[in-house]
Amino acid sequence: MGTHKRSPVVLLLASLTFLLFSFAHFCRAVNDTIKQGETIRDGHSLKSENNYFQLGFFSPVNSTSRYVGIWYTFDQKAVVWVANRKSPISDRNGVLRIEVDGKLVLRDGNNKLVWLAPVTSSANNTAARLHNTGNFVLSRNDSIDDSDANTALWQSFSNPTDTFLPGMRVPVSSKIGVSNPYRSWKSATDPSPGNYSMGVDPNGGQQIVIWGKEGRRWRSGQWNLQFFIGIPYMSNNVSSFHGFKISLPDETGTMYITYKPPTQDLFRFVISWEGKERQLKWDDDKKWLPLQSEPDPDNKCELYNYCGNYATCDRSNSRRICNCLEGFKPKFKDQWDQENWSAGCERKIQLQCQSTNRTSRENGKPDGFKKLKCTKLPDLATLLPSEENTEACGKRCLENCQCKAYAFVTGIRCMVWTGDLIDMQHFQQFQQAGNFPFFYRLHHSELDGGRKISNLVIVIICVVVASFLVASLWLLWRYKKKVKVSSMPCCKDKDVAIFDVSKSKRKEFSADLSGPSDILIDENQDNGPELPIFNFGVVAAATKNFYEGNKLGQGGFGAVYKGELPGGKEIAVKRLSGSSGQGLEEFKTEIILIARLQHRNLVRLLGCSIQGEEKLLIYEYMPNKSLDNLLFDATKKAELGWRSRLDIIEGIARGLLYLHRDSRLRIIHRDLKASNILLDAEMNPKISDFGMARMFQGNQNEANTVRVVGTYGYMSPEYAMEGLFSVKSDVYSFGVLLLEIVSGQRNTTFRSSDHTSLLSYAWRLWSEDKAIDLVDPSIRDTCSPNEVLKCIHIGMLCVQDSAVHRPTMAAVVLLLESETPTLPMPTKPTYTFLRSAIEEEYIGDAQEIVSSNDLTVTVIVGR
Ligand SMILES: *[C@@H]1O[C@H](CO)[C@@H](O)[C@H](O)[C@H]1NC(C)=O
Ligand SMILES: *[C@@H]1O[C@H](CO)[C@@H](O)[C@H](O)[C@H]1NC(C)=O
Ligand SMILES: *[C@@H]1O[C@H](CO)[C@@H](O)[C@H](O)[C@H]1NC(C)=O
Ligand SMILES: *[C@@H]1O[C@H](CO)[C@@H](O)[C@H](O)[C@H]1NC(C)=O
Ligand SMILES: *[C@@H]1O[C@H](CO)[C@@H](O)[C@H](O)[C@H]1NC(C)=O
Ligand SMILES: *[C@@H]1O[C@H](CO)[C@@H](O)[C@H](O)[C@H]1NC(C)=O
Ligand SMILES: *[C@@H]1O[C@H](CO)[C@@H](O)[C@H](O)[C@H]1NC(C)=O
Ligand SMILES: CC(=O)N[C@H]1CO[C@H](CO)[C@@H](O)[C@@H]1O
């Protein structure tokens, strides 16, 4: 009886639960997804799963027209996308739906078609989902839950209106040509296409451009693989274009502009209806905070070609903002004097090569080039990627009378200008952006400099110089004993106290270079640093005579000491031990070549010092020491959050890529490990000790070597066992390092319960789909699982046994940067199993080697 009575209750409860469950499920599905046959009427909306974005009908301020759009749930006015921007609906009877043929359409109250999502391929059973990124994606309904938008039939991110959201990718290639997918609203109250658009122009180097009604209005300058060279302060995060990047080309030669915000906050980029490009950040005060806009409304120089042709714009020049290039004069003097700059400037003297007099054209002195620094390079360049250096680039330009100017920029290579020189800007401070010498063509008679200096000027200069000399002599005499050197050593010849080589000797020194290397160090060329030679005594004093307490570490090639130069500048000094097997001159050459490698992820070599057998290398000092100090320290490792670890991984990858591919020397590091990654004050990673192997062994490119330099645990199988090395050996070490950074464990001392090495442990977890367990417990809760898994996957690809199967660093950088790359399956790293077995065996009598995991081991391989 009792059971009989209870059963309807049980049944009711069960069905209620079932109903609730299916209702909840139904709600979630309805809320971010619309399926075939379903509709969204005016008044209803979809919400992304994370509740940031909402899709539905809206009216702009002071307007009654209805549009379908996407906005932030917490700020309905911040509309990021509009479907029917050109065709508003006048009443509230609009319906968005997926029809039986699979098309996503918007119809008005009379069932008239208002808007249709333009699909590239059609399918008859589709659904559309509003993703957490704000991307509205139409796909086949069996792939609707893919976060990967590759299966999309149509997506709002590929059809943007005026807003660039993180996660969007704009394709760039010369095949596509100029593309300007972003177009401003007509006014604050009207989303129809307005006067301004933004996009990229791939011609003559990729750059971001804002177009107005009459053509270009602003441009970023070309991308040099690190930043856009026309934006002042681009190296800092002050510009609103911070975070924009152009990816390396994929198989089809297409690159993508992507945007990764500087922080985790919500960001959006809008090309506003007034033609300003704004970066907006959602602030804690619940409002959008504009960070910077381009063109900067206060800076006329940012307006495209504001000063006209052959003129530079300089906002810091209080007398006049526009100035003709030297050798040029205003085209219309009276207009120019009235500050009507639009006509620009023209040549004072016609070029020799353009002369109509044949005799003088062929027999006269050829034209020359004048060098300009701190300049935003002109627009509309032609690239000559085959030219290797500044000299070759200049030669090509001189051969062609149409060529008006050239510049050589690492990452872009040779640029020449055959049209008018337009949109030039003088940067105020010496910034990274303006750090590219620019050469423009002039008649030789214009190059001699101040030809007609009046006597008065000469007299004034003489007097000033003389009094300056007297004053300096007096000052020198007065402070001689108190202050020996007050400033940091730089490449100038004045700091005699620090440099023990006189100017003439130094010239000799650089002249030595033209012999063994093919790189000429020309004093007039600013394309490379001169290497300061430090006085040995000064360096010894700076390190308190290599005092043990100042020792920062012991690397493979010598001990490193902290030092402080007179004047307070901190340095790190590497005291090279042992013989390099090279002559002194070869050694110097090598150092200079290495000093020319400059990248933000490489430690900078400031100079060297040589006295007898003693050889010192002077580096910038890194306050946060080396990565292993933080990463493997139980208490400090928590300071390294996932974001900084990812930044470190990416930075190392970029630095390594530069060594492998972008620098001229093609350096294989051969000893990449956590203790060789130094961290600066902002925790940016810098690779140290690069080029050492090369310095000690000459410069074979890919070869067998009799001497294996490397560290156990980071050595690739082919290198450790056969002494074979290539760029792929570095990729292997990078893979190990990456897994160490993710797991917070040292490869060499790692021992899991079943005595496997880190790599085999990682492989096991990975192949069992539990890779997340590898992640350092101190970051496991705060990291982004997708990113971590992607990294681990990349790491597994890098540590494959076969060098051929490992990706190149270029591919690694690309994979790290893509949101959802398609990754190949790695093969099992068997070598690591093998090796850990060997290590087990030796653990008894080879304790030293196993525990001194940080020591660089030099093994002589008999062959
Ligand atoms: C909307 O209309 C009001 C009143 O006419 C006006 O003050 C306001 O500036 C308008 N807003 C916009 C964005 O045009
Ligand atoms: C949907 O497409 C499939 C294959 O493309 C086709 O076989 C099927 O008949 C279509 N269904 C409808 C209802 O059109
Ligand atoms: C596809 O859509 C239909 C409704 O049109 C639905 O019944 C079915 O479950 C969907 N299939 C998948 C895999 O989502
Ligand atoms: C857009 O251009 C038109 C015609 O050139 C002009 O009348 C209008 O004021 C411009 N709009 C804006 C917002 O600048
Ligand atoms: C720039 O970066 C620094 C730290 O790197 C940060 O404190 C500052 O807020 C950033 N500025 C902007 C505008 O994002
Ligand atoms: C500036 O000069 C151009 C011709 O070079 C002329 O068309 C324009 O009207 C001038 N503008 C002003 C404000 O004088
Ligand atoms: C051409 O130039 C040469 C030397 O520069 C000069 O002697 C000769 O008179 C010129 N001829 C003409 C036609 O101007
Ligand atoms: C469009 C729609 O059906 N929205 C629903 C989303 O879910 C909430 C509750 O979770 C409902 O109140 C909305 O009606």
Side-chain angles (χ1 to χ4, degrees), residues 352 355-361 363-364:
Q352 180 75 25
S355 161
T356 45
N357 178 339
R358 189 149 173 262
T359 354
S360 86
R361 187 172 70 224
N363 303 327

PDB file of all heavy atoms in Angstrom, residues 352 355-361 363-364, ligand 7:
ATOM      1  N   GLN A 352      71.263  65.963 -60.520  1.00  0.00           N
ATOM      2  CA  GLN A 352      72.220  65.769 -61.603  1.00  0.00           C
ATOM      3  C   GLN A 352      71.675  64.794 -62.645  1.00  0.00           C
ATOM      4  O   GLN A 352      71.745  65.043 -63.833  1.00  0.00           O
ATOM      5  CB  GLN A 352      73.511  65.214 -60.980  1.00  0.00           C
ATOM      6  CG  GLN A 352      74.621  64.949 -61.932  1.00  0.00           C
ATOM      7  CD  GLN A 352      75.289  66.232 -62.375  1.00  0.00           C
ATOM      8  OE1 GLN A 352      75.243  67.222 -61.652  1.00  0.00           O
ATOM      9  NE2 GLN A 352      75.865  66.220 -63.549  1.00  0.00           N
ATOM     10  N   SER A 355      69.249  66.215 -65.137  1.00  0.00           N
ATOM     11  CA  SER A 355      69.668  67.385 -65.899  1.00  0.00           C
ATOM     12  C   SER A 355      69.395  67.168 -67.383  1.00  0.00           C
ATOM     13  O   SER A 355      69.578  66.070 -67.911  1.00  0.00           O
ATOM     14  CB  SER A 355      71.162  67.608 -65.651  1.00  0.00           C
ATOM     15  OG  SER A 355      71.686  68.412 -66.656  1.00  0.00           O
ATOM     16  N   THR A 356      68.956  68.218 -68.041  1.00  0.00           N
ATOM     17  CA  THR A 356      68.639  68.078 -69.466  1.00  0.00           C
ATOM     18  C   THR A 356      69.894  68.206 -70.320  1.00  0.00           C
ATOM     19  O   THR A 356      69.901  67.808 -71.476  1.00  0.00           O
ATOM     20  CB  THR A 356      67.636  69.159 -69.894  1.00  0.00           C
ATOM     21  OG1 THR A 356      68.065  70.407 -69.354  1.00  0.00           O
ATOM     22  CG2 THR A 356      66.235  68.830 -69.397  1.00  0.00           C
ATOM     23  N   ASN A 357      70.957  68.786 -69.726  1.00  0.00           N
ATOM     24  CA  ASN A 357      72.221  68.920 -70.445  1.00  0.00           C
ATOM     25  C   ASN A 357      72.964  67.594 -70.373  1.00  0.00           C
ATOM     26  O   ASN A 357      73.406  67.168 -69.325  1.00  0.00           O
ATOM     27  CB  ASN A 357      73.021  70.047 -69.764  1.00  0.00           C
ATOM     28  CG  ASN A 357      74.384  70.249 -70.392  1.00  0.00           C
ATOM     29  OD1 ASN A 357      74.906  69.351 -71.050  1.00  0.00           O
ATOM     30  ND2 ASN A 357      74.946  71.407 -70.170  1.00  0.00           N
ATOM     31  N   ARG A 358      73.072  66.915 -71.501  1.00  0.00           N
ATOM     32  CA  ARG A 358      73.581  65.561 -71.534  1.00  0.00           C
ATOM     33  C   ARG A 358      75.021  65.495 -71.014  1.00  0.00           C
ATOM     34  O   ARG A 358      75.383  64.618 -70.222  1.00  0.00           O
ATOM     35  CB  ARG A 358      73.512  65.048 -72.981  1.00  0.00           C
ATOM     36  CG  ARG A 358      73.822  63.589 -73.058  1.00  0.00           C
ATOM     37  CD  ARG A 358      73.085  62.891 -74.182  1.00  0.00           C
ATOM     38  NE  ARG A 358      73.606  61.532 -74.245  1.00  0.00           N
ATOM     39  CZ  ARG A 358      74.555  61.154 -75.109  1.00  0.00           C
ATOM     40  NH1 ARG A 358      75.021  62.008 -75.979  1.00  0.00           N
ATOM     41  NH2 ARG A 358      74.989  59.914 -75.082  1.00  0.00           N
ATOM     42  N   THR A 359      75.836  66.472 -71.450  1.00  0.00           N
ATOM     43  CA  THR A 359      77.244  66.453 -71.031  1.00  0.00           C
ATOM     44  C   THR A 359      77.348  66.523 -69.514  1.00  0.00           C
ATOM     45  O   THR A 359      78.071  65.751 -68.896  1.00  0.00           O
ATOM     46  CB  THR A 359      78.016  67.662 -71.614  1.00  0.00           C
ATOM     47  OG1 THR A 359      77.153  68.347 -72.505  1.00  0.00           O
ATOM     48  CG2 THR A 359      79.289  67.229 -72.261  1.00  0.00           C
ATOM     49  N   SER A 360      76.609  67.459 -68.931  1.00  0.00           N
ATOM     50  CA  SER A 360      76.763  67.604 -67.483  1.00  0.00           C
ATOM     51  C   SER A 360      76.121  66.433 -66.759  1.00  0.00           C
ATOM     52  O   SER A 360      76.542  66.057 -65.684  1.00  0.00           O
ATOM     53  CB  SER A 360      76.193  68.937 -67.015  1.00  0.00           C
ATOM     54  OG  SER A 360      74.820  68.821 -66.780  1.00  0.00           O
ATOM     55  N   ARG A 361      75.084  65.824 -67.377  1.00  0.00           N
ATOM     56  CA  ARG A 361      74.435  64.707 -66.719  1.00  0.00           C
ATOM     57  C   ARG A 361      75.391  63.512 -66.637  1.00  0.00           C
ATOM     58  O   ARG A 361      75.461  62.815 -65.644  1.00  0.00           O
ATOM     59  CB  ARG A 361      73.181  64.306 -67.508  1.00  0.00           C
ATOM     60  CG  ARG A 361      72.354  63.243 -66.769  1.00  0.00           C
ATOM     61  CD  ARG A 361      71.037  63.013 -67.455  1.00  0.00           C
ATOM     62  NE  ARG A 361      71.187  62.346 -68.727  1.00  0.00           N
ATOM     63  CZ  ARG A 361      70.544  62.692 -69.838  1.00  0.00           C
ATOM     64  NH1 ARG A 361      69.721  63.711 -69.822  1.00  0.00           N
ATOM     65  NH2 ARG A 361      70.733  62.039 -70.954  1.00  0.00           N
ATOM     66  N   ASN A 363      78.842  63.559 -67.193  1.00  0.00           N
ATOM     67  CA  ASN A 363      80.216  63.763 -66.730  1.00  0.00           C
ATOM     68  C   ASN A 363      80.298  64.440 -65.372  1.00  0.00           C
ATOM     69  O   ASN A 363      81.352  64.437 -64.751  1.00  0.00           O
ATOM     70  CB  ASN A 363      81.010  64.581 -67.756  1.00  0.00           C
ATOM     71  CG  ASN A 363      80.983  63.894 -69.121  1.00  0.00           C
ATOM     72  OD1 ASN A 363      80.945  62.660 -69.179  1.00  0.00           O
ATOM     73  ND2 ASN A 363      80.966  64.671 -70.177  1.00  0.00           N
ATOM     74  N   GLY A 364      79.180  65.010 -64.940  1.00  0.00           N
ATOM     75  CA  GLY A 364      79.235  65.751 -63.679  1.00  0.00           C
ATOM     76  C   GLY A 364      79.342  64.825 -62.485  1.00  0.00           C
ATOM     77  O   GLY A 364      79.284  63.601 -62.601  1.00  0.00           O
TER      78      GLY A 364
HETATM   79  C1  LIG B   7      76.303  71.567 -70.539  1.00  0.00           C
HETATM   80  O1  LIG B   7      77.159  71.551 -69.397  1.00  0.00           O
HETATM   81  C2  LIG B   7      78.535  71.737 -69.671  1.00  0.00           C
HETATM   82  C3  LIG B   7      79.329  71.545 -68.390  1.00  0.00           C
HETATM   83  O2  LIG B   7      78.542  71.405 -67.292  1.00  0.00           O
HETATM   84  C4  LIG B   7      78.702  73.124 -70.239  1.00  0.00           C
HETATM   85  O3  LIG B   7      80.082  73.350 -70.551  1.00  0.00           O
HETATM   86  C5  LIG B   7      77.873  73.267 -71.477  1.00  0.00           C
HETATM   87  O4  LIG B   7      77.918  74.590 -71.946  1.00  0.00           O
HETATM   88  C6  LIG B   7      76.382  72.914 -71.173  1.00  0.00           C
HETATM   89  N1  LIG B   7      75.634  72.894 -72.421  1.00  0.00           N
HETATM   90  C7  LIG B   7      74.442  73.485 -72.531  1.00  0.00           C
HETATM   91  C8  LIG B   7      73.775  73.348 -73.872  1.00  0.00           C
HETATM   92  O5  LIG B   7      73.913  74.106 -71.621  1.00  0.00           O
END
